């Protein structure tokens, strides 16, 4: 972009300023402006023009923000003019010449990757920014920074990165062992795991050795157990002998006694005890009889000694009654004075009330002054209703008037409502539309379905492998069924397999042939074997020789010399004959000796011929198979050609293609269905729109009908044409389905708005209908309330009249004046009630006093009468005292009577006990006699003698039986004879030693068996532990885990290593190139700007900081000068060289922007300023250059440049002039 | 003939440790280490529960170099369960290349009716009550290059012939060529079913006759992904009616590729990885999932992802931890293979073209030196890592291009960051 003019309106110090520039490449724009004229403002305006005016820009210091604007006229890279500008504001402030907002992309295309920071760093400079120099350039990234760094001997950050990569590699897996590094840690685990695997393995031979040791231990245990069992048997035999010896003796002694006392009786062993018991019972019974008789006599004496007062005891009931009544008599005497006083007080109250009534009746007749209770209750009831009835009559008129007003108001409201209209058609249509669902949602669903179907179709088409001929061509294909392809491919595969098989067979046949050839060659290596013909030939020669010798020696006709010569050659005939004989014999011998070899050779020859035949056959078969395969392949290729899957597609590729094609066809059908559904939906929506408009028009004839040219879905789409997707582009976004408003604006929006309007129309109608119904209800209610109020008024008046009639009757019954005020009557009713109450209480109290007096008198009389009968000594005593004494005496008499009765009972019991004891004594005597009879004795002494003899017999019999039992037990159930034999066989003195020997033998065997069992158990445990031990598997898993870690770490480390190596190689490559073009360009620019005083710009660096620039002077090429050592002007020239090189580098890969320098030549002397302008003119071939300055001499210097290349303009005063 | 079913399994590799899982104290070590055993136990459970007629094992019961007798005892214990079933279930196996020379096998006395077929000649087991003949020949040595199938007896038309064979029929990629034969040969042999072993991926090479690799019962490393188990074969009226895979693995391996094309930032990338992991987890059906994550594609987030792949790995693991417990999901490794988008507008600099110019060949020597230095630190390290490991490949001057590209991406990310 190059500027042709820049206009500032109300920006900075400019109210309205237009500055023109020369946009030609190679032209230098020089803008002369005095200090304060706005050079800095222009630079800021240049930045704001491209990136927008900031919200808090200081450029409003004079004119404020309103009306602030920057406008530019420019030409693009292609020379085409255009205008753009900026306004002050929010959001997109990019405008054109007329102030119309432009697309932000317009400016983005001009800027490329340049942001505001880069613009201010490279293209809009003042001296200060220029001097920020190298640091910013190094921060700018890109080739210039790289060039400077590489020129300095390397990429500082890249080298740091390489070092970091190497460190990262070594942190994982350094080549020098470090146990803490992951690789070596895992390696150690790997090694340890391998060792552990080896150590933990349970090898089969180990297991078998353990098994053999276990078997041996078990056998040992079995043998020792057998020895122990034998010893145990011997011990048992000897122990048995020792046990049975005493029992045999016991058995024999008992048998001898029994044999000697055959008359000893056999008695019940219990008879002795029974005899003793009966004797003891007789003694006890006799003793008890004597005791009971003594007791009965003693109690009879005691009974006689107790005396009782019978007279007092006979009056006991009367005495008890008087004791009970004594308390009541004492209380009546105490209360009587108080009750008498209360009775007098109540009588005084009655007298006072009689006076209140104006009655002259005495108190005793006060009851006559009280009206009947029915009359007073009736009067009180009527008086209670009086106030309510009177109030009802008083309030009724006002209530009637209120109800009348309410009815009138309801009538007025009902009259104000309008009549209802008919909207049944609209309601039915809306229901019909709604029954299909929400139209907007249905539309959106339909569109979404269509989009989805389109995308699915596109996706399905894209998934068809290798197909680029489009959808219709794909659908138009008429491929075979997959089974056909499978069949053909199977044929092809079969033919290929057959070819491979035939190839193998051919190879085998050739190999067999070669082998046969080799065998034949080996057999014939020693030269050809003499065949039958050779033998025959040699024998024929031998016979020819013999015939010649025979002819010469034994016939008269010697052979022809020529024949001899032919046979013997130069040799004498005998020698030749001998040799022929020898040759024939040799051949015969050889044939005999090598007959097997000859046969083998013949067989080999035959085999070779056969192999040759098979090779020929295999060749033929292979050729046929190959031809068939080629033919099948051609067919396959031809069949598959339309599918475009290559010349020889695999079956899976073909099947994948067919499957993908089927999916495309399915997707196409679905897409067509979606399109049809979309069209049907649009048609139904259009129909609904038309019907809705008609019905709404009917309902709102005064409203403007909705324009429906836009169809059912807004103004963009024509009616009947759905917004369906054509082709495979994504569909446009669906219209907003929500109603846009009410009334006409809503109707204009289409079906959703129409539907909303219809809904509103129906809703309004429903609301009006409800209002009318409510008004009718209110009128009815008001009429009913009025009627009820009027009825209530009549009822109140009637009730009051009835009450008055009843009241007159009540007064008459009370005896009150007929015109007495009801309230006065009410007061008198209360007096009547009080009088009645007081009169009743006075009568009650008087009656109570009389009762008390009667009770006291009755008690005194009864007491006097009783004392006269039973205690005359108490006749003079006070009644209460006498009664107390009588009570004491009665208690004493009652105690004596009770004691005498007790003694009498005890006496009767003692007599009965004595009689019982006598009967028991007799029974004991009878029992003793019976026992004696059983024993067979007449008296006790004889009985005891018989009992003793029977007991001795029984003891020996028992001993015999016990001995027999014990012999069976101790003798291990052996027969008695065997036991006697065992006992007889072993001298008793030898038994202990025999047992001891056997015990020792058994102990030894058991210990050995136990030891063997322990060994077996330990072995079993050991084998079980070994079997359960997962150490080997765990170690193997640990080994694999370590390998996994090593693998990962090693791969990661190798990646780091490769990255470091790659970076190293890249750096080396860059360094090999030496100075970059950019650095050379910087040097060239700097040389020109300094008039050749400096020859080269270098960069140097170290590991501690960023690279730094170094300069070489033309006159001192061996001295390197740092930037700090340069003069101010030379330093500015260096920085300008850096910037210009950076601008050229930037422009090489981005849209060029104008360069705006603000007094950047102020430190240049005239020669270097002229050189700078020459350089800038050259740079302007790449980017437009605009120099701002307040130095007039620069204009004069510019005049020395060639004509027409410097465009000078002035702010404020001057017209633009071209100089030079 | 009565209908019956049989199980066909192969390549049990019992007690062969799972590979590629780094140590972690929180890992369900017992579950991982017992995976091959658990899979075999599940197979035996299934055989008993389904009352199959017999079980065929087409070689490689365990690794040949593995000498732990406990493995054999475990095998015997499980086969004992089959023997105690009612009726007893025969287990008929052949030795494959792995267990051909196993010291365990030589001393193993299988509980009857289990049988390990002869290694010197084809052996036939006849089950007359089923009308079945099972033919097979064990490997006599680790490398058997003979066409064993050629020596198998001819089919009997009156019987259902089944061939048990450990082979790399037609040659299978990634598998050594043992007992070579062709599908055509097997088809022509006349057997109704060829129960093959050696290839760890389930594959039905042919139907009618059936030629089936059941795959191994438990995947052992990240390249053995997906469901693993055995093949259940149903025979009705002398015809094989169905052949269906049955899953027995307890640890499921998955390679989860996460395409990050167009993903704008690191967080979105991790969220996407989490989503893909969630899908893989659902497919594992409750098994422990050992997942290898591969981040691919061109994304603006390439700088963040590439600059520290260790940190990226840990972040992915954190995402996984948020998704499921460590006893459900285990991240085997995270491979970062993302690049910068083509449209990325980065300052070209002078290094950039130089970096682009460097090829794998330029780095081969340096990579080889470094790799050899480290691989020589321990014996058998090369063998343990395997020929495919990039360092092992680099050490033999076969530096993988993908490693170079990974280094280039790392370098670009770090330079860009600088």
């Amino acid at each position: 972009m190059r500027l042709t003019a820049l206009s500032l309106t109300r920006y900075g110090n400019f109210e309205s300023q237009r500055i023109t520039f020369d946009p030609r490449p190679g032209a230098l724009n020089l803008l002369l402006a005095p200090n304060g004229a706005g050079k800095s403002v222009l630079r800021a305006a240049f930045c704001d023009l491209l990136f927008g005016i900031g919200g808090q820009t200081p450029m409003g210091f004079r004119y404020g923000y309103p009306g602030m604007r920057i406008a530019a006229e420019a030409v693009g890279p292609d020379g085409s003019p255009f205008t753009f500008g900026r306004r002050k504001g929010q959001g997109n402030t990019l405008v054109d010449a007329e102030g119309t907002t432009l697309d932000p992309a317009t400016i983005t295309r001009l800027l490329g990757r340049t942001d505001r920071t880069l613009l201010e760093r490279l293209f809009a400079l003042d001296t200060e920014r220029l001097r920020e120099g190298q640091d910013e350039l190094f921060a700018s990234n890109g080739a210039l920074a790289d060039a400077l760094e590489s020129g300095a001997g390397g990429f500082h950050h890249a080298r740091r990165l390489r070092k970091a990569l190497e460190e990262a590699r070594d942190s994982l897996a350094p080549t020098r062992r470090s146990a803490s590094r992951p690789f070596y840690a895992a390696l150690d685990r790997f090694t340890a795991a391998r060792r552990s695997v080896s150590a933990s393995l349970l090898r089969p031979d180990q297991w078998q050795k353990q098994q053999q040791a276990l078997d041996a231990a078990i056998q040992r245990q079995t043998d020792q157990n057998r020895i122990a069992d034998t010893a145990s048997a011997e011990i048992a035999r000897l122990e048995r002998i020792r046990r049975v010896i005493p029992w045999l003796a016991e058995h024999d002694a008992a048998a001898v006694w029994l044999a000697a006392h055959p008359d000893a009786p056999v008695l019940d062993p219990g008879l002795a005890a029974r005899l003793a018991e009966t004797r003891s019972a007789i003694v006890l019974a006799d003793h008890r009889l004597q005791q009971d008789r003594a007791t009965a006599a003693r109690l009879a004496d005691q009974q006689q000694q107790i005396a009782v007062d019978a007279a007092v005891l006979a009056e006991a009931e009367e005495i008890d009654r008087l004791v009970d009544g004594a308390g009541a008599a004492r209380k009546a005497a105490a209360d009587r004075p108080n009750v008498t006083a209360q009775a007098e007080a109540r009588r005084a109250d009655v007298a006072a009330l009689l006076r209140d009534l104006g009655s002259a009746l005495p108190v005793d007749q006060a009851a006559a002054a009280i009206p009947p209770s029915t009359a007073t209750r009736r009067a009180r009831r009527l008086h209670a209703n009086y106030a309510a009835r009177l109030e009802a009559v008083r309030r009724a008129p006002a209530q009637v008037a209120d109800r009348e007003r309410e009815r009138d108001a309801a009538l007025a409201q009902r009259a104000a409502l309008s009549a209802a209209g008919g909207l049944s058609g609209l309601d039915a249509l809306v229901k019909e539309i709604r029954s299909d669902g929400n139209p907007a949602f249905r539309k959106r669903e339909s569109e979404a379905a269509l989009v989805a179907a389109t995308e699915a179709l596109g996706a399905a088409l894209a998934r068809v492998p290798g197909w680029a001929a489009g959808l219709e061509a794909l659908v138009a294909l008429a491929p075979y069924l997959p089974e056909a392809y499978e069949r053909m491919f199977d044929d092809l595969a079969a033919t290929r397999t057959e070819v491979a098989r035939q190839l193998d067979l051919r190879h085998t046949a050739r190999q067999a042939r070669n082998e046969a050839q080799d065998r034949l060659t080996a057999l014939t290596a020693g030269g050809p074997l003499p065949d039958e013909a050779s033998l025959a030939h040699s024998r024929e020669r031998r016979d020819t020789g013999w015939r010649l010798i025979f002819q010469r020696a034994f016939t008269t006709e010697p052979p022809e010399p020529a024949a001899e010569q032919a046979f013997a050659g130069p040799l004498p005939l005998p020698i030749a004959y001998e040799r022929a004989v020898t040759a024939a014999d040799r051949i015969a011998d050889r044939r005999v000796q090598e007959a097997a070899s000859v046969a083998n050779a013949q067989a080999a020859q035959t085999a070779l011929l056969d192999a040759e035949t098979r090779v020929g056959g295999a060749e033929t078969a292979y050729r046929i198979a190959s031809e068939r395969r080629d033919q099948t392949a051609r067919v396959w290729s031809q069949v598959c050609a339309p599918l475009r899957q290559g010349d020889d597609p695999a079956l899976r590729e073909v099947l994948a293609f067919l499957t993908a094609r089927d999916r495309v066809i399915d997707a196409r059908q679905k897409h067509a269905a979606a399109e049809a559904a979309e069209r049907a939906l649009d048609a139904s929506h259009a129909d609904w729109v038309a019907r809705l408009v008609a019905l709404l028009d009917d309902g709102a004839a005064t409203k403007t009908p909705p324009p429906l040219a836009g169809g059912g879905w807004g103004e963009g789409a024509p009616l009947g044409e759905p917004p369906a997707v054509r082709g495979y582009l994504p569909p446009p976004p669906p219209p907003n389905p929500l109603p846009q408003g009410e009334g006409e604006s809503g109707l204009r929006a289409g079906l959703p708005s129409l539907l909303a309007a219809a809904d509103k129309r129906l809703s309004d109608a429903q609301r009006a209908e409800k209002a009318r119904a409510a008004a009718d209800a209110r009128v009815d209610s008001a009429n009913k309330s009025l009627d009820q109020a009027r009825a209530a008024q009549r009822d109140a008046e009637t009730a009051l009249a009835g009450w008055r009639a009843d009241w007159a009757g009540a007064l008459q019954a009370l005896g009150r004046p007929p015109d007495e005020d009801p309230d006065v009557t009410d007061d008198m009713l209360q007096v009547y009630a009080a009088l009645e109450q007081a009169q009743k209480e006075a009568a009650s109290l008087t009656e109570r006093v009389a009762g008390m007096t009667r009770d006291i008198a009755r008690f005194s009389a009864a007491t006097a009468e009783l004392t006269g009968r039973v205690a005359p000594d108490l006749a003079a005593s006070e009644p209460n005292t006498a009664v107390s004494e009588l009570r004491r005496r009665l208690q004493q008499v009652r105690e004596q009577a009770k004691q005498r009765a007790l003694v009498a009972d005890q006496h009767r019991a003692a007599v009965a006990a004595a009689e019982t004891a006598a009967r028991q004594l007799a029974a004991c005597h009878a029992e003793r006699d019976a026992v004696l009879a059983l024993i067979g004795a007449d008296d006790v002494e004889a009985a005891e003698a018989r009992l003793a003899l029977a007991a001795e017999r029984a003891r020996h019999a028992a001993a015999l039986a016990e001995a027999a039992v014990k012999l069976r037990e101790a003798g291990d159930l052996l027969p008695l004879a065997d036991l006697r034999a065992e006992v007889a066989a072993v001298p008793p003195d030898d038994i202990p030693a025999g047992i001891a020997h056997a015990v020792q033998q058994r102990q030894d065997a058991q210990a050995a068996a136990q030891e063997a069992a322990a060994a077996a158990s330990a072995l079993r445990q050991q084998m079980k532990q070994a079997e359960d031990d997962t150490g080997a598997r765990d170690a193997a898993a640990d080994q694999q885990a370590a390998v996994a870690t090593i693998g990962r770490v090693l791969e990661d480390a190798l990646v780091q290593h490769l990255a470091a190596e790659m970076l190293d190689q890249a750096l080396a490559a860059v360094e090999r190139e030496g100075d970059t073009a950019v650095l050379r360009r910087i040097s060239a620019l700097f040389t020109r700007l300094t008039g050749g005083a400096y020859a080269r710009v270098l960069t140097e660096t170290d590991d501690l900081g960023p690279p730094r620039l170094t300069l070489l002077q033309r006159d001192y090429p061996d001295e390197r000068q740092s930037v700090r050592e340069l003069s101010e002007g030379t330093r500015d020239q260096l920085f300008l060289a850096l910037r210009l090189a950076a601008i050229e580098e930037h422009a090489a890969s981005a849209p060029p922007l104008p360069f705006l320098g603000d007094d950047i030549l102020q430190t240049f002397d005239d020669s270097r300023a002229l050189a700078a302008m020459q350089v800038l003119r050259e740079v302007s071939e790449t980017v437009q250059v605009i120099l701002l300055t307040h130095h007039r001499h620069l204009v004069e210097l510019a005049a020395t440049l060639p004509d027409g290349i410097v465009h000078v303009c002035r702010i404020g005063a001057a017209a633009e002039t071209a100089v030079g | 003939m009565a209908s019956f079913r049989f199980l066909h399994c192969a390549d049990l590799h019992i007690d062969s440790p799972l590979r590629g899982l780094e140590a972690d104290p929180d890992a369900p070590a017992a579950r991982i280490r017992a995976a091959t055993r658990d899979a075999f136990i599940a197979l035996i459970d299934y055989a008993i529960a389904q009352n199959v007629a017999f079980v065929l094992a087409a070689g490689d019961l365990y690794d040949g170099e593995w000498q732990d007798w406990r493995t054999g005892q475990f095998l015997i214990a499980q086969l004992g369960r089959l023997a105690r079933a009612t009726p007893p279930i025969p287990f008929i196996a052949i030795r494959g290349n792995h267990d051909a020379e196993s010291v365990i096998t030589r001393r193993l006395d299988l509980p009857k009716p289990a049988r390990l077929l002869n290694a010197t000649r084809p052996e036939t087991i006849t089950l007359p009550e089923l009308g079945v003949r099972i033919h097979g020949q064990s490997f006599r040595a680790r490398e058997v290059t003979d066409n064993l199938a050629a020596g198998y007896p001819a089919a009997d038309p009156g019987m259902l012939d089944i061939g048990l064979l450990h082979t790399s029929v037609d040659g299978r990629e990634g598998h050594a060529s043992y007992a070579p034969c062709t599908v055509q040969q097997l088809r022509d042999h006349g057997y109704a079913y060829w129960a093959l072993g050696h290839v760890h991926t389930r594959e039905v090479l042919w139907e009618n006759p059936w030629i089936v690799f059941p795959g191994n019962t438990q995947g052992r490393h990240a390249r053995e992904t997906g469901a693993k188990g055995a093949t259940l074969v149903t025979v009705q009226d002398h015809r094989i009616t169905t052949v269906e895979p049955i899953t027995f693995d307890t640890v499921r391996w998955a390679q989860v590729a996460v395409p990050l094309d167009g993903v704008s930032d690191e967080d979105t990338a991790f969220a996407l990885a989490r989503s893909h992991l969630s899908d893989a987890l659902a497919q594992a059906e409750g098994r422990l999932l050992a997942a290898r994550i591969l981040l691919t594609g061109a994304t603006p987030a390439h700088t963040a992802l590439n600059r520290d792949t260790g940190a990226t790995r840990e972040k992915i693991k954190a995402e996984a931890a948020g998704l499921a417990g460590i006893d459900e999901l285990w991240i085997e490794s995270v491979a970062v293979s993302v690049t910068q988008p083509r449209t990325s507008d980065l300052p070209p600099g002078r290094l950039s073209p130089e970096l682009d110019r460097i090829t794998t060949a330029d780095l081969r020597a340096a990579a080889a030196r470094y790799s050899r230095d480290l691989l020589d630190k321990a014996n058998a390290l090369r063998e343990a890592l395997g020929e495919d490991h990039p360092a092992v490949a680099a050490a033999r001057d076969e530096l993988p291009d993908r490693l170079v590209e990974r280094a280039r991406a790392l370098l670009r990310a770090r330079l860009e960051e600088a």
Side-chain angles (χ1 to χ4, degrees), chain B residues 120-124 136-137 148 151-153:
Chain B
T120 56
R121 64 184 182 283
E123 185 178 0
T124 297
Q137 181 175 354
L148 294 182
Y152 278 29

PDB file of all heavy atoms in Angstrom, chain B residues 120-124 136-137 148 151-153:
ATOM      1  N   THR B 120       7.073 -87.236  16.574  1.00  0.00           N
ATOM      2  CA  THR B 120       7.854 -87.861  15.504  1.00  0.00           C
ATOM      3  C   THR B 120       7.003 -88.208  14.301  1.00  0.00           C
ATOM      4  O   THR B 120       7.516 -88.350  13.192  1.00  0.00           O
ATOM      5  CB  THR B 120       8.542 -89.134  16.017  1.00  0.00           C
ATOM      6  OG1 THR B 120       7.533 -90.005  16.544  1.00  0.00           O
ATOM      7  CG2 THR B 120       9.523 -88.787  17.114  1.00  0.00           C
ATOM      8  N   ARG B 121       5.737 -88.378  14.505  1.00  0.00           N
ATOM      9  CA  ARG B 121       4.847 -88.711  13.381  1.00  0.00           C
ATOM     10  C   ARG B 121       3.438 -88.259  13.744  1.00  0.00           C
ATOM     11  O   ARG B 121       3.144 -88.042  14.932  1.00  0.00           O
ATOM     12  CB  ARG B 121       4.861 -90.214  13.127  1.00  0.00           C
ATOM     13  CG  ARG B 121       4.312 -90.994  14.301  1.00  0.00           C
ATOM     14  CD  ARG B 121       4.428 -92.494  14.079  1.00  0.00           C
ATOM     15  NE  ARG B 121       3.855 -93.200  15.214  1.00  0.00           N
ATOM     16  CZ  ARG B 121       4.453 -93.350  16.384  1.00  0.00           C
ATOM     17  NH1 ARG B 121       5.639 -92.807  16.596  1.00  0.00           N
ATOM     18  NH2 ARG B 121       3.881 -94.014  17.366  1.00  0.00           N
ATOM     19  N   PRO B 122       2.582 -88.116  12.763  1.00  0.00           N
ATOM     20  CA  PRO B 122       1.201 -87.723  13.069  1.00  0.00           C
ATOM     21  C   PRO B 122       0.534 -88.806  13.912  1.00  0.00           C
ATOM     22  O   PRO B 122       0.753 -89.991  13.706  1.00  0.00           O
ATOM     23  CB  PRO B 122       0.537 -87.614  11.694  1.00  0.00           C
ATOM     24  CG  PRO B 122       1.672 -87.432  10.748  1.00  0.00           C
ATOM     25  CD  PRO B 122       2.826 -88.147  11.312  1.00  0.00           C
ATOM     26  N   GLU B 123      -0.252 -88.382  14.852  1.00  0.00           N
ATOM     27  CA  GLU B 123      -0.947 -89.309  15.731  1.00  0.00           C
ATOM     28  C   GLU B 123      -2.443 -89.037  15.643  1.00  0.00           C
ATOM     29  O   GLU B 123      -2.868 -87.882  15.497  1.00  0.00           O
ATOM     30  CB  GLU B 123      -0.472 -89.128  17.178  1.00  0.00           C
ATOM     31  CG  GLU B 123      -1.058 -90.151  18.126  1.00  0.00           C
ATOM     32  CD  GLU B 123      -0.522 -89.956  19.539  1.00  0.00           C
ATOM     33  OE1 GLU B 123       0.289 -89.033  19.743  1.00  0.00           O
ATOM     34  OE2 GLU B 123      -0.934 -90.709  20.438  1.00  0.00           O
ATOM     35  N   THR B 124      -3.214 -90.071  15.733  1.00  0.00           N
ATOM     36  CA  THR B 124      -4.663 -89.924  15.599  1.00  0.00           C
ATOM     37  C   THR B 124      -5.352 -90.399  16.877  1.00  0.00           C
ATOM     38  O   THR B 124      -5.037 -91.478  17.381  1.00  0.00           O
ATOM     39  CB  THR B 124      -5.183 -90.736  14.408  1.00  0.00           C
ATOM     40  OG1 THR B 124      -4.598 -90.222  13.222  1.00  0.00           O
ATOM     41  CG2 THR B 124      -6.709 -90.621  14.307  1.00  0.00           C
ATOM     42  N   GLY B 136      -2.954 -85.029  14.752  1.00  0.00           N
ATOM     43  CA  GLY B 136      -2.057 -83.931  15.068  1.00  0.00           C
ATOM     44  C   GLY B 136      -0.650 -84.425  15.246  1.00  0.00           C
ATOM     45  O   GLY B 136      -0.396 -85.620  15.428  1.00  0.00           O
ATOM     46  N   GLN B 137       0.288 -83.496  15.166  1.00  0.00           N
ATOM     47  CA  GLN B 137       1.693 -83.826  15.399  1.00  0.00           C
ATOM     48  C   GLN B 137       2.345 -82.658  16.096  1.00  0.00           C
ATOM     49  O   GLN B 137       2.233 -81.511  15.649  1.00  0.00           O
ATOM     50  CB  GLN B 137       2.403 -84.114  14.070  1.00  0.00           C
ATOM     51  CG  GLN B 137       3.866 -84.490  14.270  1.00  0.00           C
ATOM     52  CD  GLN B 137       4.546 -84.901  12.981  1.00  0.00           C
ATOM     53  OE1 GLN B 137       3.902 -85.014  11.936  1.00  0.00           O
ATOM     54  NE2 GLN B 137       5.844 -85.136  13.035  1.00  0.00           N
ATOM     55  N   LEU B 148       4.147 -80.357   7.888  1.00  0.00           N
ATOM     56  CA  LEU B 148       3.644 -81.445   8.712  1.00  0.00           C
ATOM     57  C   LEU B 148       2.290 -81.939   8.211  1.00  0.00           C
ATOM     58  O   LEU B 148       1.995 -83.134   8.241  1.00  0.00           O
ATOM     59  CB  LEU B 148       3.515 -80.998  10.164  1.00  0.00           C
ATOM     60  CG  LEU B 148       4.826 -80.666  10.892  1.00  0.00           C
ATOM     61  CD1 LEU B 148       4.532 -80.290  12.343  1.00  0.00           C
ATOM     62  CD2 LEU B 148       5.777 -81.843  10.864  1.00  0.00           C
ATOM     63  N   GLY B 151       1.772 -84.937   5.958  1.00  0.00           N
ATOM     64  CA  GLY B 151       1.858 -86.294   6.444  1.00  0.00           C
ATOM     65  C   GLY B 151       0.661 -86.752   7.237  1.00  0.00           C
ATOM     66  O   GLY B 151       0.634 -87.890   7.714  1.00  0.00           O
ATOM     67  N   TYR B 152      -0.309 -85.907   7.421  1.00  0.00           N
ATOM     68  CA  TYR B 152      -1.474 -86.283   8.204  1.00  0.00           C
ATOM     69  C   TYR B 152      -2.294 -87.336   7.439  1.00  0.00           C
ATOM     70  O   TYR B 152      -2.349 -87.311   6.205  1.00  0.00           O
ATOM     71  CB  TYR B 152      -2.356 -85.064   8.484  1.00  0.00           C
ATOM     72  CG  TYR B 152      -1.876 -84.222   9.645  1.00  0.00           C
ATOM     73  CD1 TYR B 152      -0.522 -84.157   9.991  1.00  0.00           C
ATOM     74  CD2 TYR B 152      -2.763 -83.460  10.404  1.00  0.00           C
ATOM     75  CE1 TYR B 152      -0.076 -83.382  11.034  1.00  0.00           C
ATOM     76  CE2 TYR B 152      -2.331 -82.679  11.462  1.00  0.00           C
ATOM     77  CZ  TYR B 152      -0.974 -82.639  11.773  1.00  0.00           C
ATOM     78  OH  TYR B 152      -0.536 -81.879  12.812  1.00  0.00           O
ATOM     79  N   PRO B 153      -2.927 -88.266   8.160  1.00  0.00           N
ATOM     80  CA  PRO B 153      -3.681 -89.318   7.478  1.00  0.00           C
ATOM     81  C   PRO B 153      -4.797 -88.733   6.619  1.00  0.00           C
ATOM     82  O   PRO B 153      -5.283 -87.620   6.870  1.00  0.00           O
ATOM     83  CB  PRO B 153      -4.260 -90.146   8.630  1.00  0.00           C
ATOM     84  CG  PRO B 153      -3.437 -89.795   9.816  1.00  0.00           C
ATOM     85  CD  PRO B 153      -2.966 -88.416   9.619  1.00  0.00           C
TER      86      PRO B 153
END
